[in-house]
Amino acid sequence: MSRRFTYIYDTFCGWCRGAHPTIAALIESGAEVEMLHLHLFQGAKAHRMADGFGTVALAHDKRVAGLSGQDFDQRYVDQVIQSPTEVLDSTFTAWAAGLVHDHGAATEIALAHNLQNQRYIDGVSAQNRSAVEAAIVRFGVSAALEEGAETAGQTAARARATLASLNLRGVPQLILEENGQRNALSIADFYKSPTAVTALAS
């Protein structure tokens, strides 16, 4: 019996922050996991906080915190949610994910968590390119951020195709493939006990 997992996410999705302990536990268990960054927040979906999206995002983030225990610091509220200029665009983080994608799921989930902490704890703007560049250097990447764009586009296309094939929408999504069958799993089932997900890998 062969089991493999696909995790579809966007770094700057609050629900993906909530899912982090579960996915990290699954990867640490030795399960075969492929990370696919959807690059959800771009173009028409790059929302400006001051246009009302900040209020919506904060409501979701509070739900995520309550369900998963993941932190959303007041600095994030003050410097990101309430910023008159902040735009939720995950392009830089999508490129960063593209640069580390071939390094394996453990590296990609660690980078995503690092960038999420920058945003949700330290209140770093999505437009702060230098913060993302500094993060990839810490993960041993010396390439220019734009060099991850092609891989980012390819993984986003695969993510969209996978979601469409299973009639799924949005992120995060954890998909189990076993004996040629693919099924979406409920990450919410593991919020209170993230390591319970490791039973699925055996």
Side-chain angles (χ1 to χ4, degrees), residues 39-182:
H39 196 180
L40 176 61
F41 303 113
Q42 61 175 317
K45 292 186 177 179
H47 306 289
R48 198 164 75 101
M49 294 297 178
D51 291 340
F53 187 81
T55 301
V56 175
L58 186 58
H60 280 282
D61 295 338
K62 288 180 176 179
R63 287 184 61 201
V64 172
L67 290 169
S68 70
Q70 292 294 286
D71 291 336
F72 294 81
D73 195 85
Q74 187 62 38
R75 286 172 291 178
Y76 161 65
V77 178
D78 295 341
Q79 297 165 205
V80 174
I81 292 292
Q82 296 180 354
S83 168
T85 58
E86 177 70 15
V87 175
L88 176 55
D89 187 324
S90 56
T91 296
F92 294 150
T93 61
W95 292 352
L99 285 171
V100 304
H101 184 70
D102 290 342
H103 296 202
T107 298
E108 190 167 342
I109 194 69
L111 174 63
H113 191 51
N114 182 285
L115 294 170
Q116 287 168 353
N117 283 341
Q118 284 189 21
R119 182 171 180 82
Y120 296 118
I121 301 298
D122 301 330
V124 174
S125 168
Q127 284 73 61
N128 191 329
R129 177 191 177 114
S130 63
V132 179
E133 290 174 332
I136 62 173
V137 168
R138 289 194 293 273
F139 282 84
V141 176
S142 58
L145 202 52
E146 285 88 352
E147 292 184 33
E150 183 176 357
T151 300
Q154 292 170 349
T155 56
R158 288 182 56 207
R160 289 191 295 270
T162 301
L163 292 174
S165 70
L166 295 171
N167 199 28
L168 298 172
R169 298 181 63 185
V171 288
Q173 298 287 351
L174 179 62
I175 298 159
L176 166 64
E177 182 177 337
E178 182 177 15
N179 300 324
Q181 299 294 317
R182 294 188 301 177

